Amino acid sequence: MATIIIFALIVLGVIFGLSRMRKEKTSGCCASSSLEKEVKVSDRNLDHYPYKTLFVCEDMICENCTRHVANTLNKFDDTYATANLQSKQVTVYTKQKPDVPALQRALSQAGYPARLMH
């Protein structure tokens, strides 16, 4: 009897796992039905941003994650950020010398700790 219960629990775990994987594949890891709205940056001309900082953020696993990361940084004044899911790279362009600890703190608070690329 105990073997049947254990087997049933394993089957339920596999079914739940497969269901979760399918949900993540169709709607992202955040399991939301739609992507987060993009924070619009008024100045997208990279010639206006003399500083460029690169981060690696391993916790981005879907397009919604990349948008959330970019939005978090794009809320800073005079900042334009992009995130790339394949490379796990976050590129931050700033008009003034960047406050790297503040950028990292904001990402960490958003749930996406990042390390500075050298």
Side-chain angles (χ1 to χ4, degrees):
M1 184 65 162
T3 305
I4 294 173
I5 292 172
I6 291 171
F7 180 74
L9 289 174
I10 291 171
V11 169
L12 287 173
V14 168
I15 291 171
F16 175 77
L18 290 173
S19 170
R20 177 74 181 169
M21 283 175 45
R22 186 184 56 179
K23 189 176 207 178
E24 286 180 9
K25 186 174 180 131
T26 59
S27 61
C29 66
C30 307
S32 62
S33 59
S34 63
L35 288 176
E36 179 175 331
K37 293 192 187 261
E38 180 182 3
V39 171
K40 299 288 184 185
V41 176
S42 59
D43 185 2
R44 291 180 177 242
N45 184 341
L46 296 182
D47 292 336
H48 298 159
Y49 296 90
Y51 299 96
K52 178 179 175 181
T53 308
L54 299 174
F55 294 101
V56 173
C57 183
E58 297 292 337
D59 292 344
M60 297 186 302
I61 58 175
C62 75
E63 288 301 324
N64 205 32
C65 291
T66 60
R67 185 165 297 185
H68 189 67
V69 165
N71 283 348
T72 297
L73 298 173
N74 285 332
K75 291 176 185 174
F76 282 83
D77 289 336
D78 297 326
T79 301
Y80 176 37
T82 62
N84 183 292
L85 182 60
Q86 284 71 33
S87 66
K88 306 289 186 181
Q89 184 172 309
V90 180
T91 307
V92 185
Y93 302 96
T94 55
K95 292 182 178 180
Q96 290 86 29
K97 188 172 180 182
D99 182 352
V100 173
L103 297 173
Q104 286 180 298
R105 193 170 34 257
L107 287 171
S108 185
Q109 289 172 349
Y112 299 93
R115 63 180 161 74
L116 186 64
M117 289 181 68
H118 294 275

